Amino acid sequence: MASAFDPIGAALNDYLGGNQSASITVHSSVAEDEPLPAKYFFRTLWEMPELERTALDECRGRVLDLGAGAGAHALELQNRGFQVKAIDVSVGAVQVMQQRGVREVACHDIFELTASAERYDTLLMLMNGLGVVGTLEGLEKFLKLAHQLLVPGGQILATSSDISYIYEDEDGALNFNLNGPYYGEVEYQMSYNQQTGPQFNWLFADPTIVQDYAEEAGYDVEFIDEDDQQQFLVRLTRRG
């Protein structure tokens, strides 16, 4: 069976090869189609939003960068002397990271990660990175799995967003189906060069959801910062 088209990987490789205008089209179940320039994945420290720079400053010990893209965060941490492993589900993204000098790279779905002798002090999940879990069920599953990946007292540093504002009417009242799926569970597809990749789920978990699920799973929760787009940075510290 042929493997599915990898829009992000294709665009990142083209950008690295000199196509400065390479851009992915993002299709979602909650918004109009949007362009996502490949250049964004190659940003330097000073091009990163403040939430990301804060998260990098909060990293400690051995770091696992989940959904690492083109390796912007992993490379910055390497430059600071951290031992960091970067993983991404995109084969093309992994190739790009290897070419850019990320020393430890692997192609993985996060749910394929298994407890090994190797434990981490920090799991890093940036660019609305908590969303990679896909659904509320995925969040619950991931928080259990992360227990096995973290040393006692280890931390998850993640960004997420409350997207309830998308459902506001003119009076500011929220207008979504309370009996339907959680409003932050979004379906996505990406296209590049007239080819479309597979559909996938992405979770935008609001702060209350993050707090409830994390505390239930045995983490202490600290909200570190937020921006004016309802995106926030949270630290989940493994108890025990």
Side-chain angles (χ1 to χ4, degrees):
M1 190 174 114
S3 58
F5 178 61
D6 173 13
I8 286 185
L12 297 187
N13 271 289
D14 281 358
Y15 182 87
L16 193 63
N19 178 1
Q20 301 285 303
S21 62
S23 186
I24 300 146
T25 303
V26 180
H27 318 277
S28 86
S29 57
V30 296
E32 299 289 313
D33 288 0
E34 278 187 291
L36 175 57
K39 183 180 192 298
Y40 188 69
F41 290 87
F42 292 83
R43 58 203 181 283
T44 62
L45 179 66
W46 300 113
E47 291 170 322
M48 290 176 194
E50 195 176 337
L51 283 187
E52 292 182 16
R53 296 204 301 269
T54 301
L56 293 174
D57 290 342
E58 294 291 335
C59 285
R60 58 172 185 257
R62 176 130 170 77
V63 181
L64 181 63
D65 184 1
L66 298 162
H73 304 115
L75 286 166
E76 175 59 30
L77 289 171
Q78 265 183 204
N79 289 341
R80 297 184 188 189
F82 281 89
Q83 192 183 1
V84 54
K85 181 173 184 175
I87 69 163
D88 203 283
V89 74
S90 159
V91 175
V94 166
Q95 291 165 345
V96 164
M97 285 193 274
Q98 288 168 329
Q99 288 179 65
R100 296 185 76 208
V102 179
R103 287 193 279 271
E104 277 188 80
V105 188
C107 189
H108 279 304
D109 179 291
I110 60 162
F111 293 114
E112 290 168 3
L113 292 167
T114 48
S116 64
E118 196 165 37
R119 297 283 183 104
Y120 297 90
D121 301 278
T122 302
L123 303 186
L124 188 64
M125 306 174 81
L126 297 184
M127 277 183 81
N128 267 305
L130 196 62
V132 74
V133 302
T135 59
L136 290 179
E137 192 183 337
L139 178 60
E140 195 173 351
K141 190 174 160 188
F142 171 73
L143 289 170
K144 281 183 188 154
L145 171 66
H147 249 272
Q148 312 302 313
L149 298 169
L150 286 167
V151 298
Q155 62 176 354
I156 302 170
L157 290 171
T159 50
S160 184
S161 298
D162 181 355
I163 60 165
S164 57
Y165 65 89
I166 290 176
Y167 300 91
E168 279 181 12
D169 62 21
E170 287 106 43
D171 304 322
L174 292 177
N175 201 352
F176 43 70
N177 179 7
L178 293 173
N179 298 315
Y182 172 58
Y183 67 81
E185 292 182 355
V186 177
E187 287 180 357
Y188 277 104
Q189 265 185 308
M190 294 191 176
S191 302
Y192 178 66
N193 276 355
Q194 278 81 53
Q195 281 186 276
T196 302
Q199 198 170 58
F200 60 94
N201 293 318
W202 199 264
L203 179 67
F204 294 91
D206 70 79
T208 306
I209 288 270
V210 171
Q211 180 138 16
D212 290 351
Y213 276 69
E215 286 179 349
E216 178 71 22
Y219 295 85
D220 293 323
V221 180
E222 179 193 354
F223 292 99
I224 297 174
D225 205 357
E226 65 177 313
D227 66 16
D228 51 10
Q229 258 99 51
Q230 311 291 320
Q231 187 176 190
F232 57 91
L233 171 64
V234 64
R235 184 199 326 269
L236 310 179
T237 305
R238 188 195 136 172
R239 294 191 205 119

